[in-house]
Amino acid sequence: MKIRDAVEADLPAIIDIYNAAVATRISTAQLEPVTVESRRDWLSEHSPDRHPLWVAETAGRVIGWLSFKSFLPRCAYRGTIELSVYVDEKFRRRGIARKLLEEAIAHASSLGVNAMVGLIFAHNEPSLRLFERLGFERWGLLPRVARLEGVERDLTIMGRHV
Ligand SMILES: CC(C)(COP(=O)(O)OP(=O)(O)OC[C@H]1O[C@@H](n2cnc3c(N)ncnc32)[C@H](O)[C@@H]1OP(=O)(O)O)[C@@H](O)C(=O)NCCC(=O)NCCS
């Protein structure tokens, strides 16, 4: 498996992986599938030297991705980023997400990052386990801040210093 910066041609695969997760209601507060067109700006907001978007690729196929994004816009939060990681359902439990997160942790300092957070629904057990496995701890809980299929859901903030 190779990890590399995403390019525009990867966007359909990135979106397919994301939309499969949208439908599960455990991964993201996005409730409707997104289109490739609507995510072009999001792709271009990433930059390899500051807020990268990486894909995991095997045999020429994108099977997962990880994005860095700024946590909050104010200057004092510049060293803190939010990570998102998504893996193709057909390739789960093979260590893909772990490798992507390990790579993020390894590169954090050189990207000017000193703290990383994942905003994860409290009912997203696989992701909570994953982040814990990589040394993240529960830094916060926002109770009942999301409504999914009529159910109020908590948001967990998982964090790790570099
Ligand atoms: C969470 C997710 C990224 C994990 O990807 P993955 O490639 O299957 O994870 P890995 O194989 O690297 O697993 C690493 C560790 O995470 C934990 N983990 C992963 N999936 C798990 C599951 N379904 N149940 C419990 N623990 C799980 C385990 O500790 C695992 O280590 P182990 O396999 O040695 O037990 C994947 O399920 C996914 O894409 N989910 C939808 C997107 C999402 O919710 N992202 C989080 C929001 S940022």
Side-chain angles (χ1 to χ4, degrees):
M1 186 195 81
K2 181 167 117 184
I3 295 175
R4 59 166 176 80
D5 287 310
V7 295
E8 193 144 1
D10 299 320
L11 203 48
I14 290 171
I15 297 307
D16 280 350
I17 294 168
Y18 183 68
N19 281 339
V22 167
T24 66
R25 303 285 188 250
I26 73 162
S27 302
T28 168
Q30 176 72 30
L31 299 177
E32 300 296 331
V34 300
T35 62
V36 169
E37 216 41 59
S38 72
R39 298 300 273 178
R40 287 199 198 282
D41 288 350
W42 168 80
L43 179 86
S44 62
E45 280 158 16
H46 291 86
S47 59
D49 58 344
R50 176 70 190 131
H51 291 139
L53 172 63
W54 293 330
V55 290
E57 182 185 63
T58 186
R61 172 176 178 170
V62 170
I63 55 171
W65 56 268
L66 176 143
S67 76
F68 285 65
K69 90 171 207 204
S70 99
F71 168 59
L72 285 170
R74 301 261 188 235
C75 302
Y77 294 115
R78 193 174 158 73
T80 300
I81 52 94
E82 180 192 338
L83 291 175
S84 299
V85 58
Y86 286 76
V87 171
D88 185 326
E89 285 168 338
K90 294 178 213 72
F91 289 86
R92 290 193 185 160
R93 294 316 283 268
R94 298 188 197 183
I96 310 294
R98 181 185 328 176
K99 289 206 187 75
L100 283 162
L101 278 178
E102 282 171 353
E103 192 81 353
I105 293 163
H107 281 76
S109 291
S110 62
L111 295 166
V113 169
N114 51 43
M116 300 183 282
V117 297
L119 305 185
I120 299 171
F121 285 132
H123 62 295
N124 188 348
E125 203 61 36
S127 290
L128 292 174
R129 294 286 85 79
L130 168 71
F131 276 71
E132 274 169 8
R133 199 69 193 258
L134 273 299
F136 286 72
E137 294 172 335
R138 197 175 100 161
W139 283 358
L141 180 82
L142 308 182
R144 302 190 350 244
V145 290
R147 179 175 283 270
L148 298 167
E149 306 292 326
V151 182
E152 290 179 328
R153 297 292 192 177
D154 301 346
L155 184 69
T156 306
I157 303 174
M158 298 298 287
R160 185 192 198 280
H161 289 111
V162 176

